[in-house]
Amino acid sequence: MIAFAPNTIHHGDCIALMNAMPEKSVDMVFADPPYNMQLGGELLRPDNSRVDGVDDAWDQFESFAAYDRFTAQWLTAARRILKDDGTLWVIGSYHNIFRVGAALQTLGYWILNDIVWRKSNPMPNFKGTRFTNAHETLIWCAKSKDARYTFNYEALKDLNEGLQMRSDWLLPLCTGSERLKGEDGGKLHPTQKPEALLYRVILAATKPGDLIVDPFFGTGTTGAAAKRLGRRFIGLDQDDTYIAGARARINAVEPADPEAIKLFNKKTEPRVPFGAVLERGLIAPGDLLADARQRYAAKVRADGTLVAADVKGSIHQVGAAVQGLPSCNGWTFWHFKAKGEWMPIDLLRQRIRSEMSGLS
């Protein structure tokens, strides 16, 4: 009986290893399976130097049918170990991702998003016979349509400087000191993924302490990112050289600071009515509020409502009315003036929340 302790790497066939794991024990599976690239001969640069592409035995299948059988087997094994509210991510290129996507739907997975990883430094098409292949595709899916999966929307928005995270991610290839080298000085693994990519995936879809399984662990990018973010991992791979490199790499990673990785979800924060701002004297009855561009103004009443021309009501109702919109987030729409600057009243709400949680 294999003991699958967290933060360990196991040598062997990923399908057999996943089938030996406890059912519904994993929060996320991240998979970077063989792409079955069907390369024909060597690829040379204009100076006739050889491109270190993917020509390893593990990426070669005798037919599409063989690849499809392999895909169905590992996806089935992954589905068994995923918790009902867990999610699976799989990355691929045009060689395989469409076949993988079809298999996912056939097996009952529910696709949530496809993510385009747009490479900021892609390898050129040296022959000039096709477009430069500048992206790969990730598919993110749940076990079912009704699954209550994890998505840290606010964390991703904060990571993106306050903007909603889009489904196209501009990130560089793995290069420089991050790229693990073999004894010959060349790449230890031909398709090592950048840690920035896994950082974003893990931050998006897991919580601190969650368990992530990577069935194609390679050089351990998933494990390194998981350790930095305070998640647990189990890596599976059948290449001892990759495993040794991954283990040394992960051992060198500083573990996460428990306080620094805590996620704040606005939905779970204490509710603060606008009236609490008046009760604490942060805004006084009779003060004027305005939008960020000072197009609209409203006067604050003692009961926490606003008056603007012939409209009165809550900060949300009046904000919507003056704009002629069906709804409005009054906390971010209305601003107050302090020390000559207009600032959103949401800052006052956050100050009160901090007092309520004992952080200030």
Side-chain angles (χ1 to χ4, degrees):
M1 181 100 180
I2 303 173
F4 292 98
N7 304 327
T8 56
I9 309 172
H10 298 264
H11 176 271
D13 175 75
C14 70
I15 297 168
L17 289 169
M18 283 192 286
N19 283 334
M21 290 182 182
E23 186 177 0
K24 298 183 180 182
S25 60
V26 175
D27 298 289
M28 188 176 88
V29 172
F30 179 86
D32 183 6
Y35 287 6
N36 189 25
M37 295 185 73
Q38 313 119 49
L39 295 178
E42 288 190 335
L43 179 60
L44 301 177
R45 297 183 178 88
D47 62 1
N48 287 322
S49 61
R50 179 177 178 272
V51 175
D52 187 11
V54 184
D55 55 4
D56 304 78
W58 49 258
D59 193 59
Q60 298 172 12
F61 294 80
E62 63 182 17
S63 64
F64 285 130
Y67 186 79
D68 291 346
R69 285 193 297 272
F70 167 74
T71 299
Q73 288 170 354
W74 76 257
L75 284 174
T76 299
R79 184 176 176 83
R80 191 187 70 83
I81 63 173
L82 266 180
K83 295 177 181 177
D84 288 338
D85 57 359
T87 57
L88 178 142
W89 293 73
V90 57
I91 185 170
S93 69
Y94 68 88
H95 303 90
N96 72 320
I97 198 64
F98 303 108
R99 307 188 80 86
V100 173
L104 284 166
Q105 292 181 317
T106 298
L107 292 170
Y109 287 94
W110 184 259
I111 295 178
L112 301 168
N113 275 113
D114 64 325
I115 307 293
V116 175
W117 166 32
R118 188 159 63 92
K119 303 170 184 177
S120 58
N121 53 343
M123 184 173 65
N125 183 271
F126 293 111
K127 293 183 178 180
T129 56
R130 303 184 187 183
F131 296 107
T132 296
N133 185 24
H135 77 277
E136 292 184 31
T137 301
L138 298 94
I139 299 176
W140 178 41
C141 51
K143 285 186 72 173
S144 69
K145 181 180 179 180
D146 300 320
R148 299 176 64 85
Y149 57 88
T150 296
F151 178 50
N152 299 314
Y153 170 81
E154 294 294 341
L156 268 290
K157 189 175 178 180
D158 291 339
L159 190 70
N160 200 35
E161 296 188 337
L163 298 176
Q164 187 179 71
M165 185 67 75
R166 293 161 44 121
S167 62
D168 53 335
W169 298 353
L170 180 62
L171 296 168
L173 288 165
C174 179
T175 58
S177 60
E178 185 183 349
R179 171 71 73 171
L180 271 62
K181 302 294 194 297
E183 293 181 357
D184 61 356
K187 300 174 184 177
L188 180 61
H189 193 291
T191 65
Q192 181 180 334
K193 297 300 181 288
E195 196 169 318
L197 182 69
L198 269 297
Y199 188 102
R200 190 173 295 185
V201 166
I202 292 171
L203 183 67
T206 63
K207 299 182 288 292
D210 277 359
L211 179 61
I212 304 165
V213 165
D214 186 333
F216 308 98
F217 201 59
T219 51
T221 304
T222 299
K227 188 174 180 181
R228 292 190 197 280
L229 288 168
R231 277 66 166 172
R232 302 172 300 150
F233 70 88
I234 294 175
L236 314 174
D237 208 281
Q238 53 187 357
D239 189 301
D240 287 323
T241 303
Y242 295 162
I243 290 175
R247 188 169 285 127
R249 173 190 186 183
I250 295 167
N251 287 341
V253 173
E254 290 293 326
D257 176 354
E259 287 299 316
I261 60 170
K262 285 183 179 178
L263 298 176
F264 294 94
N265 187 339
K266 288 185 178 180
K267 293 181 180 180
T268 62
E269 290 184 317
R271 180 180 178 275
V272 176
F274 181 62
V277 175
L278 278 80
E279 291 172 337
R280 284 167 170 76
L282 301 176
I283 284 179
D287 284 353
L288 287 177
L289 303 182
D291 67 297
R293 294 164 58 186
Q294 291 86 61
R295 296 166 300 171
Y296 311 106
K299 183 177 288 187
V300 178
R301 292 161 46 116
D303 61 0
T305 60
L306 304 184
V307 176
D310 59 347
V311 179
K312 62 180 180 180
S314 71
I315 57 173
H316 312 296
Q317 292 168 335
V318 175
V322 297
Q323 298 178 87
L325 298 175
S327 63
C328 170
N329 182 345
W331 287 107
T332 56
F333 177 74
W334 293 112
H335 289 57
F336 69 103
K337 197 170 188 178
K339 298 180 180 180
E341 294 187 16
W342 289 94
M343 295 177 284
I345 59 174
D346 196 40
L347 294 176
L348 304 177
R349 178 172 64 164
Q350 293 305 319
R351 185 187 304 180
I352 295 172
R353 281 177 170 166
S354 295
E355 293 171 357
M356 293 170 68
S357 59
L359 296 176
S360 64

